[in-house]
Amino acid sequence: KFKIAAVLNTYNNVFFEDVIKGIEIAGKEIEEFGMSVIIKRCKDFDADNQLELIDEAVQEGANAMAIVAINDNRVINKISELHNNNFPIVLLNSFVNSNDCIAYVGCNYDLAG
């Protein structure tokens, strides 16, 4: 089974409750294609915890990852490491200084002001 992990950067955030609902709905929709979703909720903006969750998702068999990344060099380096090993990464909502992803989904905060 192909597994996609969604790793968030916070646990208690009203905005992400809707995001999680959407991920869960999408997860049900892709089951018929032999795919599943793993959701990992991070302690609020805790880079150490996010790194643990990324590693945990890989150990649980994730084949791709969507990450709301914490802007921390260790997290950015982990994203680069995964990308360099041909592990697909999509960055969500928070663009960190990394080109090591296949896509970014979110707002361009520089253009938005």
Side-chain angles (χ1 to χ4, degrees), residues 32-59:
E32 68 182 279
F33 302 105
M35 301 171 75
S36 64
V37 175
I38 305 166
I39 299 173
K40 301 285 184 184
R41 298 174 76 161
C42 182
K43 294 176 191 168
D44 292 346
F45 305 102
D46 182 330
D48 290 324
N49 185 232
Q50 188 166 57
L51 288 166
E52 290 170 11
L53 294 174
I54 291 169
D55 287 338
E56 189 177 283
V58 171
Q59 290 170 3

Side-chain angles (χ1 to χ4, degrees), residues 7 65 73:
V7 181
M65 206 169 296
N73 284 335

Side-chain angles (χ1 to χ4, degrees), residues 2-108:
F2 191 89
K3 293 182 184 178
I4 302 169
V7 181
L8 306 180
N9 63 357
T10 184
Y11 195 84
N12 296 311
N13 185 312
V14 174
F15 169 78
F16 283 108
E17 294 305 318
D18 284 339
V19 172
I20 290 168
K21 286 178 189 171
I23 293 169
E24 289 171 341
I25 290 168
K28 289 177 184 166
E29 291 175 358
I30 64 174
E31 283 178 355
E32 68 182 279
F33 302 105
M35 301 171 75
S36 64
V37 175
I38 305 166
I39 299 173
K40 301 285 184 184
R41 298 174 76 161
C42 182
K43 294 176 191 168
D44 292 346
F45 305 102
D46 182 330
D48 290 324
N49 185 232
Q50 188 166 57
L51 288 166
E52 290 170 11
L53 294 174
I54 291 169
D55 287 338
E56 189 177 283
V58 171
Q59 290 170 3
E60 291 175 9
N63 304 99
M65 206 169 296
I67 304 174
V68 182
I70 295 171
N71 194 7
D72 179 283
N73 284 335
R74 296 167 300 153
V75 173
I76 294 167
N77 290 338
K78 176 57 82 172
I79 291 167
S80 295
E81 175 189 321
L82 290 169
H83 178 79
N84 291 336
N85 286 306
N86 297 315
F87 192 96
I89 301 287
V90 173
L91 295 177
L92 301 175
N93 200 55
S94 60
F95 187 78
V96 294
N97 190 19
S98 175
N99 293 321
D100 294 333
C101 62
I102 60 171
Y104 167 69
V105 180
C107 182
N108 182 327

